[in-house]
Amino acid sequence: MMSNLPIEQILQDLGKGRPLTGVQCQQLIDHHLQQQQNGKATLDSLHERETVQRSVERQANFFLNHYPSFAAFCHDRLGLYQQIADHLWNFWLPLAQRLKEQRDHHQCPWIQGIVGLQGTGKTTLTQILTWILHKWEYRCLCLSLDDLYLPYSDRLRLQQAHPFLIWRGPPGTHDVGLGGAILTELRAQTKQTGIWVPRFDKSRHEGAGDRAAPEWIRYPVDIVLFEGWFVGMVPLVTEQTHPSSLTASPLAEYCNQQLHHYVPLWKHLDNLLILYLPESYFSKVWRKEAEQKLNAQTRSAMAEAEVDRFVDYFWDALPPALFLDHLAEVEYPTQVIELRPDRSPPMFPGFP
């Protein structure tokens, strides 16, 4: 992405605590304007340049003050080693800044939805955004759709009634009412000191998972990051797809009907970030990498063949080509980020 400009070296210098020179600052500004305008000048170029300059200076200041500890966090906690400076500059920092501005503008907790196929890095993204926003003294709460799973015993009974529910995850396996109550309370924050938030342990029951002890979260909470593989997805009607696309699969037909129960939960979202992957195959590759990291942490993890069956099961439940494509029709604002095969995003569309 930056091979034609010395941007990578500039970011490396910033990460080592070397302030921008005037020439380097102008190079970064030119780089961003070129990305935004495809090299074409506009009548508002002076004003736009001033806006980009403020963003460049703000991000450079973050690098100078926090990059070494941020890189250590990525290495030690997330297992990330490549293109950290590039991603921080072009994607994570601009996205965090946008969330900060949205929270400030609304003067109330901002509830940000994040959706993407398995392995696209939803959980990693929420942890990174939380780290960055904490440095700006904003408190984030990461809530996963997984945290709303029904208890293991309830899911076993559900499976007995619907044998095609061979694994956790599809619509119908969550406590939607609990999720709505949590987001309602987080929006209002009427309780005196905080809220108990459910958590889920994927390693229990030989990988089937079960509820863990809830976590006590103290108020105030400024931003809620609510992520999951079908967060925001809405049920389809027959006219939106081929007549046999859903009815040919009992699982897909069931899940499509169950999505009606989730629509009230999605109404709590202020915005939905869609991590879009043009080539779905890489979802399996990345999920296998995640399982390898899990295994390295001495926790139970799936073998490669199990990952293939696991991801295929989700694609059967809610075919991505049908349900992801219809996210543009939801009522709340959406932002699409198209990921590359190397998992890197393009420059965040919201910059600056």
Side-chain angles (χ1 to χ4, degrees):
M1 179 170 60
M2 300 187 302
S3 59
N4 295 327
L5 288 172
I7 305 301
E8 184 175 357
Q9 184 60 52
I10 295 175
L11 297 183
Q12 290 177 358
D13 290 345
L14 274 174
K16 295 176 182 178
R18 300 169 186 167
L20 287 178
T21 66
V23 172
Q24 289 175 330
C25 184
Q26 294 306 313
Q27 285 179 298
L28 287 171
I29 294 171
D30 291 340
H31 171 66
H32 285 292
L33 288 174
Q34 185 179 40
Q35 294 287 326
Q36 294 273 319
Q37 304 170 359
N38 293 321
K40 298 179 181 179
T42 66
L43 293 177
D44 296 327
S45 59
L46 180 59
H47 172 73
E48 188 174 358
R49 193 175 188 87
E50 292 174 349
T51 302
V52 172
Q53 180 172 348
R54 288 194 295 270
S55 297
V56 165
E57 292 171 349
R58 180 175 58 243
Q59 294 193 186
N61 185 63
F62 187 93
F63 263 70
L64 291 173
N65 290 317
H66 303 298
Y67 185 77
S69 56
F70 176 76
F73 167 76
C74 290
H75 297 164
D76 301 338
R77 294 285 299 277
L78 305 179
L80 300 178
Y81 297 93
Q82 298 179 345
Q83 297 182 294
I84 292 176
D86 182 13
H87 293 178
L88 178 61
W89 185 269
N90 287 304
F91 181 51
W92 297 327
L93 268 178
L95 178 55
Q97 178 65 28
R98 173 63 63 87
L99 288 172
K100 173 182 177 298
E101 292 171 353
Q102 289 168 326
R103 163 63 180 83
D104 291 346
H105 178 73
H106 289 81
Q107 290 297 306
C108 65
W110 180 264
I111 301 179
Q112 176 68 53
I114 301 174
V115 63
L117 295 180
Q118 292 72 26
T120 50
K122 301 179 294 295
T123 302
T124 297
L125 179 60
T126 61
Q127 293 176 299
I128 287 173
L129 291 174
T130 298
W131 196 96
I132 295 172
L133 288 160
H134 177 73
K135 296 302 179 182
W136 294 333
E137 299 184 349
Y138 286 75
R139 297 196 65 201
C140 290
L141 167 63
C142 298
L143 180 68
S144 171
L145 194 58
D146 291 359
D147 293 322
L148 304 180
Y149 276 133
L150 294 168
Y152 177 68
S153 57
D154 291 350
R155 286 184 284 119
L156 281 182
R157 286 191 288 270
L158 189 64
Q159 183 182 19
Q160 292 173 353
H162 304 285
F164 46 76
L165 292 174
I166 61 175
W167 199 261
R168 68 172 189 264
T173 61
H174 304 86
D175 188 338
V176 180
L178 174 62
I182 290 171
L183 294 181
T184 297
E185 169 56 29
L186 285 169
R187 177 80 74 186
Q189 298 189 29
T190 54
K191 299 187 184 303
Q192 286 188 341
T193 56
I195 183 175
W196 287 104
V197 176
R199 294 304 186 196
F200 188 77
D201 184 352
K202 296 180 181 180
S203 68
R204 299 182 65 181
H205 301 291
E206 298 181 346
D210 204 354
R211 289 186 175 179
E215 180 183 4
W216 177 251
I217 302 296
R218 290 190 174 276
Y219 290 151
V221 173
D222 299 302
I223 297 170
V224 180
L225 301 174
F226 183 31
E227 59 90 4
W229 76 279
F230 68 88
V231 166
M233 289 188 184
V234 295
L236 304 179
V237 297
T238 305
E239 292 75 13
Q240 290 176 310
T241 183
H242 300 294
S244 62
S245 297
L246 298 179
T247 57
S249 166
L251 175 60
E253 186 175 16
Y254 172 84
C255 290
N256 188 56
Q257 292 302 317
Q258 289 297 313
L259 276 179
H260 288 279
H261 302 297
Y262 290 76
V263 172
L265 184 59
W266 309 152
K267 290 185 182 297
H268 291 277
L269 301 179
D270 292 308
N271 184 273
L272 179 65
L273 181 69
I274 303 169
L275 301 176
Y276 180 68
L277 185 59
E279 299 180 50
S280 299
Y281 164 77
F282 287 98
S283 173
K284 288 186 179 181
V285 176
W286 298 345
R287 181 56 193 248
K288 290 174 182 177
E289 292 176 357
E291 290 297 322
Q292 290 173 356
K293 291 180 181 179
L294 186 64
N295 191 49
Q297 297 169 356
T298 68
R299 299 174 61 187
S300 59
M302 291 186 288
E304 288 195 6
E306 291 177 302
V307 173
D308 288 333
R309 291 193 296 270
F310 184 73
V311 175
D312 286 339
Y313 172 68
F314 284 122
W315 291 354
D316 183 28
L318 296 174
L322 295 178
F323 289 90
L324 276 177
D325 288 351
H326 283 91
L327 277 177
E329 300 175 7
V330 297
E331 297 178 358
Y332 36 82
T334 60
Q335 178 79 62
V336 179
I337 301 297
E338 185 171 313
L339 302 177
R340 297 187 175 97
D342 65 355
R343 209 190 296 241
S344 67
M347 179 177 292
F348 180 62
F351 190 97

